[in-house]
Amino acid sequence: MSRSLFLGATIWGGAACAPARGWLLVEGDRIAGVGAEGEPAPPADRVLQLPGCHVLPGFVDVHLHLSQAAWFGRGGDGSRWRTVGEALDAVALAAAASPHAPWLLFWNVARWTWPQGRLPTASELEAAAPGRAVLISTSDMHRGAISAAGLEAAGLAGSVAQATFGDDLSRDRRGRPTGELWESAFGIAVQRALADCAAHAEQAGPHAVLAAEALRYLAHGITHAHDPYVAPDLHEQMAALEPATPLRLSWATGSNAGMHSRPPGPAGAPGGPYGQSGREVKVFADGGDRCAIALPSRALAGLLSGAIRESWRLKGAGPLREALRRKTSLGPHQLRTPYLRYTDDELTGLVTSYAAAGIRLRIHALGNRAGDQAARILRQAGVPQGAATIDHLMLLDPATADAVAASGATVSYQPGFLPRYGQMLTGSRADRYCTVFGGRLLLDAGCPLSISSDHPSGPLDPLGNLRAAVDRDIGDGQALQPDQALTEQEAVRAATVTAAASLGLPGGGLAAGQPADLAVCTGHPFAPGTHIAQTWIAGQQAWPLQAGEHTP
C-alpha cells in the first residue's frame, strides 16, 4: 500500500480544521497520521515538499447543479447585458450563428441592473429570432423569458398550461402569455431545453459533456459535488458518470417535469443509492424573486423608498415597477409576501412520506417565512436530526434561526452571492429589516452550517466563497452586515467537514482514519491570489493529472 507524505505545509487538521504547520501522511485511500512541525516524520514512498502551501480537507459542495451547469457552455452568457436592447441584439446574433440549435439559451442575466427592470417579451424575442425557441434565464434560475416557439416546445402555450401554472406563467390583460416565466413554469422550460440540447449533442454525447464538467471542478479543489436536483429520467446518466470520474458524486431527485415542480412522492423516486450518498429529494418551500418573507410593518415604506431610489439611480422605472408588482399583505405588525408554495398540510404530507421511506429532505427556503415553515414541518413530522438540509435562508431573523436549529436540519448557505446581490439588497434597503446570509446568526443559534456554491447561479470557486463568508465584501470595500462574518476556521469547516456530515459522509477532517480527500493551496486560503495547486481524492492525485495519466 503506497504512502505519500506532505511536508512543509500548514495543515488545517481535525474536525475543527485548526491550521498548524506540520506533516500529513496518506496511506492507501486514508489519512494515516498528522504531525506537528518538529515531530519526526514517518517514512513514505513519495514525499511532497510544500513550503508555504496550505492543505485543507477537500471541498464538499452540497449544492452544485452539475447536470445543468454542464450545458451552460452551449448557451450565451448574459451577465454583461445592461438593457433589453442588448439582450435582443445577442439573441439575433446567436440565431444567425447557430441556425440548427434546438434552443438558443442564455444564462446569468442580472435584470435588476437594467433600467427597464424586465426581461424581453415573447414578441420581442420572436422579432429578434423568428420561429426559434429562445430561453433567457436570470442568474438565480427561478425566472426567465421565453419565445413563442419556446412556449410551444415546452408545452406551455395552451389553456391547460394557464390553468396548471397560474401566476408562474405571466399573461397580459387579454390572457395571452407574455413570455415571462416563474418558478415551476420556468423549471419545466429549462428541463425541456436541456433535454433537447442533450439529444442534439455531438457524437461524444451527453456523457462526455457531464464528464468534462466534473473534471473542471477538480481544478477548484472540489472532491465531492452534490447535485441538488436530477430529474428521475436522468438518474442513470448520473449513475454512469460516477465511476467515470475521480470526483465523488451524489445527487437528489425531484419531479421529472422540472426542478421547481412538486415531487411525485417516494414511489416515483429512483432506487438508491444516489452516487456516494443516500437517497434525497428536493422540495421548494418558496421561490427566488418570489420568496416568502415576513418583515416589520415599517419595512413597507423603506422598501418602497429603496425602489424609488434605485429607479432614480438607473434612470428607469424598472425597480419601482418590480416592487409594485410584488404581492404583499400588511398587518398591524408584519409585512408578508404570500409566496409559500405549499400549505402546512401539503408540506407535512410530502415531508412525512419521504421521511418514512428513508429519503433525506432538501428544502429550498430563501425567505424567513419559508424557513420557519420548513423548520416547523420537519419537527412536526419527526424527521430525525441530520436527515434534512434547508438551503439558502438568505433573508433571516433570530426567531427563524432558533426554529431551524430546533429542527435538527443542516443549513446550506451561499456567501458567494454577497458580491453579486449585495448592492441590490442594500439598494432595496432589505438589509435594514432582516439579516442577510446570516452565517453568524445561524451558528450562534446552534445550526450545523455548510457553505455551498449553488453553481451555476453562484460562483463555483470555493476559495472565493470562503473569503466572502469572512469578509462579506459587496464591492468598493463595503462589507454587508459584518457582524455576520464567520472566522476563517469556521468557514473552512463549513465548506468541508460539516458539508460532508450533512450527506451522511465521514466528517472528521484531516485526521487519522479519515478519507484522504485533500485540497492543496498555493498559499494561505484567505489571501488574494491563492489558488488550488493539487486535488487529492481517496489518496490519489486527481488534479492536475501527472504525466501519462488520464481520467477513467
Side-chain angles (χ1 to χ4, degrees):
M1 189 177 294
S2 65
R3 291 158 60 95
S4 298
L5 181 65
F6 297 74
L7 289 177
T10 297
I11 312 296
W12 292 63
C17 300
R21 286 183 57 81
W23 53 261
L24 181 144
L25 178 67
V26 170
E27 185 170 2
D29 64 354
R30 297 275 160 174
I31 296 172
V34 179
E37 187 175 39
E39 292 183 11
D45 305 301
R46 180 184 180 191
V47 176
L48 293 90
Q49 295 286 351
L50 301 170
C53 292
H54 287 238
V55 180
L56 278 61
F59 293 113
V60 179
D61 195 329
V62 298
H63 196 121
L64 195 168
H65 295 272
L66 183 154
S67 59
Q68 294 182 350
W71 299 98
F72 271 39
R74 295 170 181 257
D77 180 8
S79 62
R80 296 184 181 276
W81 298 346
R82 288 297 175 261
T83 66
V84 170
E86 288 184 15
L88 294 172
D89 289 344
V91 169
L93 183 62
S98 304
H100 303 299
W103 285 79
L104 301 175
L105 302 176
F106 302 89
W107 314 103
N108 292 324
V109 174
R111 58 103 203 130
W112 65 90
T113 65
W114 300 3
Q116 300 95 335
R118 66 168 179 86
L119 297 171
T121 65
S123 59
E124 289 171 334
L125 292 172
E126 174 64 22
R132 302 295 296 276
V134 182
L135 180 64
I136 295 174
S137 171
T138 55
S139 58
D140 66 355
M141 293 286 289
H142 284 261
R143 181 178 178 182
I146 193 168
S147 64
L151 285 166
E152 291 285 351
L156 296 172
S159 58
V160 174
Q162 180 180 7
T164 302
F165 297 107
D167 288 346
D168 284 356
L169 188 60
S170 295
R171 295 181 176 269
D172 62 20
R173 294 179 181 179
R174 303 170 93 180
R176 298 171 300 188
T178 64
E180 180 183 55
L181 303 178
W182 300 79
E183 306 302 342
S184 59
F186 171 75
I188 283 173
V190 170
Q191 198 64 22
R192 178 72 268 158
L194 294 182
D196 290 347
C197 288
H200 190 256
E202 298 171 0
Q203 289 184 353
H207 178 83
V209 175
L210 294 173
E213 183 69 9
L215 181 62
R216 191 166 71 91
Y217 300 159
L218 297 174
H220 292 277
I222 297 170
T223 56
H224 189 126
H226 182 79
D227 193 323
Y229 166 77
V230 172
D233 283 351
L234 300 180
H235 176 81
E236 293 304 323
Q237 283 188 15
M238 290 294 287
L241 174 64
E242 196 224 336
T245 173
L247 180 70
R248 298 187 191 271
L249 293 174
S250 56
W251 56 90
T253 188
S255 168
N256 255 328
M259 179 168 63
H260 307 96
S261 297
R262 182 173 302 199
Y274 294 1
Q276 298 192 27
S277 186
R279 295 200 295 168
E280 183 179 273
V281 65
K282 183 62 182 277
V283 179
F284 283 79
D286 65 353
D289 266 1
R290 290 177 172 174
C291 64
I293 57 175
L295 301 175
S297 55
R298 69 178 186 278
L300 179 61
L303 294 174
L304 185 59
S305 173
I308 293 171
R309 187 177 67 171
E310 281 296 283
S311 289
W312 179 267
R313 184 179 68 83
L314 294 172
K315 296 180 173 58
L320 180 59
R321 185 190 303 114
E322 284 291 305
L324 294 175
R325 287 183 69 192
R326 283 195 171 80
K327 296 179 180 178
T328 57
S329 62
L330 184 63
H333 305 292
Q334 277 195 331
L335 170 72
R336 291 186 168 200
T337 58
Y339 295 128
L340 292 174
R341 300 193 68 81
Y342 298 91
T343 66
D344 280 6
D345 287 345
E346 289 170 337
L347 188 57
T348 298
L350 201 61
V351 166
T352 301
S353 65
Y354 278 106
I359 299 176
R360 191 170 58 238
L361 279 301
R362 180 170 294 272
I363 304 177
H364 167 108
L366 205 70
N368 57 347
R369 279 194 72 201
D372 175 73
Q373 184 193 42
R376 284 189 292 103
I377 299 309
L378 289 171
R379 291 191 70 187
Q380 291 171 16
V383 175
Q385 183 171 352
T389 294
I390 299 178
D391 284 328
H392 307 306
L393 292 178
M394 184 175 79
L395 305 176
L396 194 59
D397 62 85
T400 300
D402 289 340
V404 171
S407 76
T410 298
V411 175
S412 164
Y413 92 130
Q414 297 78 34
F417 279 135
L418 282 164
R420 178 173 294 179
Y421 295 118
Q423 295 290 350
M424 178 191 72
L425 291 165
T426 57
S428 68
R429 301 187 176 179
D431 61 310
R432 299 188 179 191
Y433 308 107
C434 60
T435 302
V436 178
F437 292 111
R440 174 57 50 204
L441 179 59
L442 290 163
L443 275 184
D444 288 351
C447 298
L449 185 66
S450 65
I451 290 175
S452 59
S453 68
D454 199 7
H455 180 72
S457 295
L460 176 65
D461 179 22
L463 293 177
N465 292 332
L466 290 183
R467 294 164 191 154
V470 172
D471 65 33
R472 297 182 64 86
D473 186 5
I474 62 172
D476 299 327
Q478 180 184 357
L480 177 57
Q481 296 178 342
D483 59 313
Q484 292 303 312
L486 304 188
T487 67
E488 293 178 350
Q489 200 170 318
E490 288 169 339
V492 171
R493 176 179 169 81
T496 58
V497 170
T498 306
S502 76
L503 297 176
L505 305 173
L510 300 184
Q514 293 294 308
D517 294 355
L518 319 171
V520 181
C521 301
T522 57
H524 195 289
F526 292 87
T530 292
H531 58 271
I532 299 298
Q534 296 179 13
T535 302
W536 287 61
I537 299 176
Q540 298 294 318
Q541 185 175 323
W543 186 90
L545 295 175
Q546 301 180 70
E549 292 183 337
H550 57 84
T551 55

